[in-house]
Amino acid sequence: MKKLLVFVVPILFPIQIFAIQHNIFVSQENSIIGDLISYPMEIDSAIPVSRKDTLVARNQKESTEKIQKEVANCSMKEHLKKFYREYCNAILIDSVYFSDRADSLVAKHCTKEFYEKVKDEFITGVGYDFMTADYGITNESFDKISIVELDSSSYKVQYQTEGVDVSMKPIIVTAKFIVKLKGSLIEDVVRIEE
């Protein structure tokens, strides 16, 4: 008596092929039937939105809501101090002025207009660091960082950091700038010149 070997080959229906080509998630339970497809759509039209854009928009909304809750649970001074700690770490970890981590952090904590300005400077400018008024920041800066409320939407930030003099010798400089807020988001950072 001969034994018959049977190979099971999954059958892809046209809707599943479309889903695979367009990077759309199809559930495992219904992969042969293909009736459950996660396909995000814009509210005002029938044009599909890419999965990545949908996730980015949802993450930004969740991040903004999370920031608002954090601010409600602590003072704005503590919130700004935490932001600058995370910003410093993002730059130091990746050894790049405006890394992906820093980009994500700035997008989460700044107004859309200010974020676009910062990102545009990184892409097409000379690398001016808007977040620190181009002073830069180091881990040692946090030993004596001072954040003073000027009014409900402006805070003066001051700390010591590394710099160079006109002859390019390393020196310690005092960074002084004003962080302007719109709600709980950073709207601008202005250097204080003496």
Side-chain angles (χ1 to χ4, degrees):
M1 186 170 189
K2 289 185 175 180
K3 290 187 179 181
L4 180 65
L5 287 175
V6 178
F7 293 98
V8 178
V9 178
I11 300 172
L12 294 177
F13 292 94
I15 199 161
Q16 290 171 311
I17 293 169
F18 177 82
I20 291 167
Q21 289 173 341
H22 290 56
N23 197 22
I24 299 170
F25 172 75
V26 179
S27 71
Q28 288 290 51
E29 297 82 18
N30 297 313
S31 62
I32 293 178
I33 299 171
D35 60 348
L36 285 180
I37 294 180
S38 172
Y39 203 105
M41 304 291 274
E42 288 182 346
I43 294 172
D44 296 333
S45 71
I47 300 171
V49 178
S50 78
R51 187 162 166 75
K52 181 179 178 186
D53 290 345
T54 302
L55 292 174
V56 168
R58 186 177 349 150
N59 287 342
Q60 285 178 338
K61 181 181 177 189
E62 290 172 0
S63 294
T64 302
E65 290 170 356
K66 184 178 177 185
I67 290 168
Q68 290 169 345
K69 287 178 186 175
E70 285 176 9
V71 171
N73 292 333
C74 69
S75 72
M76 183 52 77
K77 290 194 289 188
E78 289 301 313
H79 175 69
L80 286 173
K81 189 172 184 177
K82 181 180 175 187
F83 165 76
Y84 277 105
R85 168 69 74 191
E86 290 175 8
Y87 183 73
C88 175
N89 288 338
I91 292 169
L92 295 176
I93 287 170
D94 297 326
S95 301
V96 176
Y97 150 63
F98 200 64
S99 64
D100 288 342
R101 291 173 217 254
D103 176 67
S104 174
L105 193 64
V106 171
K108 183 168 73 169
H109 288 274
C110 296
T111 63
K112 184 177 179 180
E113 297 79 16
F114 189 56
Y115 168 71
E116 292 298 327
K117 182 178 175 181
V118 172
K119 189 171 183 178
D120 184 56
E121 172 62 25
F122 172 68
I123 294 169
T124 62
V126 294
Y128 182 87
D129 182 4
F130 278 101
M131 302 314 302
T132 66
D134 212 29
Y135 282 106
I137 195 164
T138 64
N139 280 324
E140 292 76 25
S141 301
F142 290 96
D143 293 340
K144 296 183 180 177
I145 192 167
S146 166
I147 301 176
V148 177
E149 182 177 0
L150 302 176
D151 59 48
S152 62
S153 62
S154 298
Y155 289 80
K156 179 182 176 185
V157 179
Q158 184 173 324
Y159 55 84
Q160 301 282 307
T161 191
E162 298 168 0
V164 292
D165 64 10
V166 290
S167 63
M168 301 304 284
K169 289 182 182 176
I171 59 169
I172 300 297
V173 296
T174 302
K176 294 181 186 177
F177 51 89
I178 296 173
V179 176
K180 295 182 180 182
L181 303 172
K182 185 175 187 179
S184 60
L185 299 175
I186 299 171
E187 182 177 44
D188 200 6
V189 177
V190 180
R191 189 175 187 142
I192 299 174
E193 298 291 344
E194 292 183 25

